[in-house]
Amino acid sequence: FKQLRDKLDEFGYRAALGIESLPLVERLFADLLQTTASLRDAKLAEHTQPTGSHNGDNLAVDLEPFKRDNARLVKEVNQLHAELIRRRDVADAQGKKLKAHMRGLEHENSDLRFLNSQYSQRIRVL
């Protein structure tokens, strides 16, 4: 009893200890010492591991929201890219159509100028 009481006092446990609870307190105190030693060993092992190799499971869990966000952003970028391609195709088709219409108007203008010059010559001749 005296040895356990001294150990408990050493660790700051100064509460009353009844003789009937002595076996339970001895086991709990032994478990506390073992757990404390295991924790110290685990922390020491964590500090000696190379960076990046610890908490592999936690890293995967931490990355999961970023993976979902990345997947959403990739999908959005792909949709925007497809829309950009569609609009570029529409603009190219419209540009070709306008160029063809412009060539037709240039030919018509050329024909009208030729006709105008012919009519002007006839008027001078008369």
Side-chain angles (χ1 to χ4, degrees):
F1 178 80
K2 178 76 171 132
Q3 287 177 342
L4 180 60
R5 180 74 257 171
D6 289 343
K7 287 181 184 177
L8 289 171
D9 287 342
E10 184 180 322
F11 280 88
Y13 298 107
R14 300 198 191 333
L17 176 62
I19 201 78
E20 66 279 350
S21 57
L22 186 63
L24 176 62
V25 172
E26 278 182 324
R27 290 183 67 197
L28 289 173
F29 190 71
D31 287 346
L32 173 67
L33 292 176
Q34 182 181 3
T35 303
T36 304
S38 295
L39 177 63
R40 183 180 54 244
D41 293 344
K43 284 184 177 182
L44 182 62
E46 182 178 308
H47 289 296
T48 60
Q49 287 181 346
T51 304
S53 64
H54 68 291
N55 293 338
D57 294 338
N58 289 341
L59 182 62
V61 170
D62 291 343
L63 287 178
E64 190 58 37
F66 294 108
K67 286 181 179 180
R68 282 193 308 271
D69 196 34
N70 188 48
R72 180 186 58 80
L73 292 172
V74 166
K75 182 179 178 182
E76 186 178 338
V77 165
N78 288 339
Q79 288 173 344
L80 290 171
H81 186 253
E83 178 66 18
L84 178 65
I85 290 172
R86 186 190 66 77
R87 287 184 182 194
R88 186 183 311 144
D89 290 344
V90 167
D92 287 347
Q94 189 176 14
K96 287 179 183 179
K97 184 179 176 182
L98 289 173
K99 282 182 182 181
H101 184 65
M102 186 176 73
R103 279 192 301 274
L105 290 175
E106 286 173 348
H107 289 301
E108 184 180 349
N109 188 12
S110 175
D111 291 345
L112 290 172
R113 286 182 188 268
F114 177 73
L115 213 66
N116 186 23
S117 68
Q118 292 223 339
Y119 288 143
S120 292
Q121 278 183 349
R122 274 193 186 169
I123 292 176
R124 280 190 216 131
V125 170
L126 294 175

